[in-house]
Amino acid sequence: MDNCNSPRTPSFRQRRRSNEIPAEINKSNGSILLVDDKYKYRSMWIRAYSSLWMLASVSLIIYLGHLYIWAMVVVIQIFMASELFNLLTRATQDRRLPKFKFLNWHFFFTAMLFVYGRILSQQLVNTVTSDKFLYRLVSNLIKYQMVICYFLYIAGFVWFILSLKKRYYKYQFGQYAWTHMILIVVFTQSAFTVANIFEGIFWFIFPASLIAMNDVGAYFFGFYFGRTPLIKLSPKKTWEGFIGASVATMFAAFTFAYFLGRFQWLTCPRKDLSTSWLQCDPDPIFKPEYIPLPGLISHSLPWKEIPVLPVQWHALWLGLFASIIAPFGGFFASGFKRAFKIKDFGDSIPGHGGFTDRMDCQMVMAVFVYIYHQSFVVAEDYSVEMLLDQILRNLGLEEQLALYAKLGQILQERRL
């Protein structure tokens, strides 16, 4: 009996997208090394032009300062979320669920409000301290931020339940779970990235540069010398590229840290959300120490000692992580793409794929840099300024004024 008119469970077979690998190409070219690829020079020039445009754009944004870098991170987050949301969408189901995409973005912006509200609350308060009305408004928003975000999430949860349609339950619940996984992946790394930015632009630009240097090194060493496959998940990766890039990255880490560490604009932490020029007393790790050269070397050179920034020793550990561990973020992404039979997550950046393709290793690196910085770089002593920050962030304007008046009264009594 013909069952053409009977209801069917929605199919989860994907439409072929522009970035999907056709099965016949995947079988024939999946194991071709980069050194043997006949299109490698064309691919190299496309990647080079795109890389130059990205480098120029990021350099301008870094020059503009912390707030603009944060805005860049938010834009990248939106592109990444869009690419990942589209990965499991089905055109036929989405036409019958016209408002379902809005629900994904509702959860996305709710998560953004929660994450950045927690990370940048003190910077926001410091920005509006001079205006009494804005200070009270911002203080109340920060105080009730968790409640606001919770009820925004509950509103999305209720919206999801009310939007459930018969025959689409499996698809809708799959999208609900996929959305939450995306939020964890995107906001975990971006939260640590933004925290690094406000600790000093150095802690953003330096590790990001190490990942880029390692990626470029692996590409060129594999391009010219790659003969031994490294891992099946990413067939064009070779041991020659991996080892060559590791050595180059370690050398670059030590020298590049010295270059960046000399610029106060890059090393000063930002305590507010203004765009004004920064001046600060450099952290001790950015103050040079002079190491005397051995006698045999110093006799043949015009100088007897060389300057080294303490941060350069930390840079070696970051370079080691960027060379050995961070590439596994890329291998994870390669395995993920193979599971979904796609070449790239998107096509926003010619020669590179999508934004998610460029951020796979950066995700792993950003978390490590934050943990390393808090564990091995930040001083453990509790200064007066640090204690006051912890106290004042929980007080209103009138309570702060009362505290200052009381402290002034105590100091006056002790002088007498």
Side-chain angles (χ1 to χ4, degrees):
M1 183 176 179
D2 190 5
N3 292 326
C4 291
N5 296 324
S6 61
R8 295 180 180 177
T9 303
S11 171
F12 276 74
R13 184 182 299 275
Q14 294 191 35
R15 265 190 324 157
R16 178 174 293 176
R17 299 179 175 87
S18 61
N19 61 336
E20 186 172 345
I21 305 175
E24 60 276 9
I25 296 178
N26 190 32
K27 288 179 181 178
S28 61
N29 294 344
S31 59
I32 293 179
L33 296 174
L34 188 58
V35 74
D36 298 320
D37 189 350
K38 62 181 180 179
Y39 300 110
K40 65 178 183 179
Y41 286 103
R42 179 176 177 272
S43 174
M44 181 185 70
W45 284 113
I46 293 174
R47 287 173 66 94
Y49 283 128
S50 297
S51 299
L52 288 174
W53 277 107
M54 286 191 291
L55 179 62
S57 302
V58 171
S59 299
L60 175 62
I61 292 170
I62 288 171
Y63 174 78
L64 293 174
H66 302 69
L67 202 61
Y68 292 91
I69 300 174
W70 174 35
M72 177 185 71
V73 172
V74 171
V75 171
I76 292 173
Q77 277 184 296
I78 293 172
F79 273 100
M80 287 176 63
S82 177
E83 291 169 359
L84 293 171
F85 284 150
N86 290 334
L87 196 59
L88 285 187
T89 55
R90 308 289 186 275
T92 53
Q93 283 86 338
D94 285 349
R95 279 196 295 269
R96 292 176 174 83
L97 303 166
K99 297 180 181 179
F100 200 72
K101 275 193 173 182
F102 292 106
L103 182 60
N104 292 340
W105 289 108
H106 170 83
F107 284 125
F108 177 85
F109 287 109
T110 298
M112 181 179 289
L113 178 63
F114 176 78
V115 170
Y116 292 139
R118 304 298 291 179
I119 294 175
L120 301 178
S121 58
Q122 189 57 46
Q123 283 85 352
L124 186 57
V125 169
N126 293 340
T127 305
V128 300
T129 302
S130 58
D131 189 301
K132 188 174 181 179
F133 172 75
L134 283 177
Y135 181 85
R136 285 186 173 180
L137 177 63
V138 169
S139 296
N140 285 327
L141 285 175
I142 291 173
K143 182 178 180 180
Y144 299 110
Q145 181 241 3
M146 190 176 292
V147 174
I148 294 170
C149 292
Y150 175 74
F151 279 104
L152 283 173
Y153 179 83
I154 290 298
F157 177 73
V158 173
W159 180 2
F160 168 74
I161 298 300
L162 295 177
S163 69
L164 290 173
K165 286 188 176 182
K166 191 176 180 180
R167 297 174 58 194
Y168 298 98
Y169 293 154
K170 186 176 180 180
Y171 175 73
Q172 288 179 284
F173 275 102
Q175 286 290 309
Y176 184 80
W178 179 241
T179 298
H180 284 69
M181 195 196 84
I182 291 171
L183 298 182
I184 292 171
V185 169
V186 171
F187 282 102
T188 297
Q189 64 89 18
S190 61
F192 288 108
T193 299
V194 172
N196 292 337
I197 291 168
F198 283 88
E199 288 290 345
I201 296 176
F202 177 93
W203 299 106
F204 165 75
I205 185 175
F206 180 69
S209 299
L210 291 183
I211 293 296
M213 291 174 187
N214 186 259
D215 188 46
V216 171
Y219 181 81
F220 278 99
F221 276 100
F223 188 90
Y224 290 106
F225 309 109
R227 289 293 178 186
T228 312
L230 174 65
I231 188 170
K232 289 183 178 180
L233 284 173
S234 191
K236 292 188 177 182
K237 296 289 192 302
T238 63
W239 275 105
E240 290 82 0
F242 184 77
I243 295 171
S246 298
V247 174
T249 303
M250 292 296 291
F251 176 78
F254 192 77
T255 54
F256 195 52
Y258 180 80
F259 173 76
L260 294 179
R262 297 163 57 207
F263 295 95
Q264 198 175 80
W265 171 244
L266 301 178
T267 58
C268 292
R270 171 67 76 181
K271 300 295 185 182
D272 56 25
L273 297 180
S274 68
T275 56
S276 58
W277 195 260
L278 276 175
Q279 287 185 340
C280 66
D281 181 29
D283 190 280
I285 65 170
F286 295 109
K287 294 179 179 179
E289 298 175 349
Y290 292 89
I291 300 177
L293 293 173
L296 292 176
I297 299 177
S298 61
H299 287 314
S300 58
L301 294 175
W303 54 86
K304 306 298 181 184
E305 53 187 14
I306 58 171
V308 175
L309 302 181
V311 74
Q312 289 179 263
W313 306 118
H314 294 292
L316 291 176
W317 290 107
L318 298 183
L320 187 65
F321 187 91
S323 303
I324 306 300
I325 305 300
F328 281 85
F331 301 151
F332 176 86
S334 296
F336 195 85
K337 288 183 283 189
R338 281 182 167 270
F340 286 90
K341 295 182 173 61
I342 57 173
K343 182 177 180 290
D344 298 306
F345 285 104
D347 52 8
S348 308
I349 309 172
H352 293 270
F355 280 88
T356 310
D357 295 284
R358 290 295 86 210
M359 296 302 295
D360 45 16
C361 299
Q362 298 285 1
M363 295 180 190
V364 181
M365 190 70 187
V367 178
F368 173 74
V369 169
Y370 179 82
I371 294 171
Y372 184 92
H373 181 265
Q374 296 299 316
S375 301
F376 302 108
V377 178
V378 174
E380 295 183 4
D381 60 317
Y382 292 95
S383 63
V384 174
E385 182 182 358
M386 187 183 300
L387 292 173
L388 282 175
D389 280 344
Q390 292 295 324
I391 295 170
L392 296 179
R393 71 172 56 188
N394 296 314
L395 298 179
L397 181 61
E398 294 178 359
E399 293 169 317
Q400 289 186 21
L401 293 174
L403 175 62
Y404 286 132
K406 186 65 177 177
L407 289 173
Q409 181 182 349
I410 293 172
L411 289 174
Q412 188 67 26
E413 290 174 356
R414 289 188 176 181
R415 285 177 183 173
L416 296 175

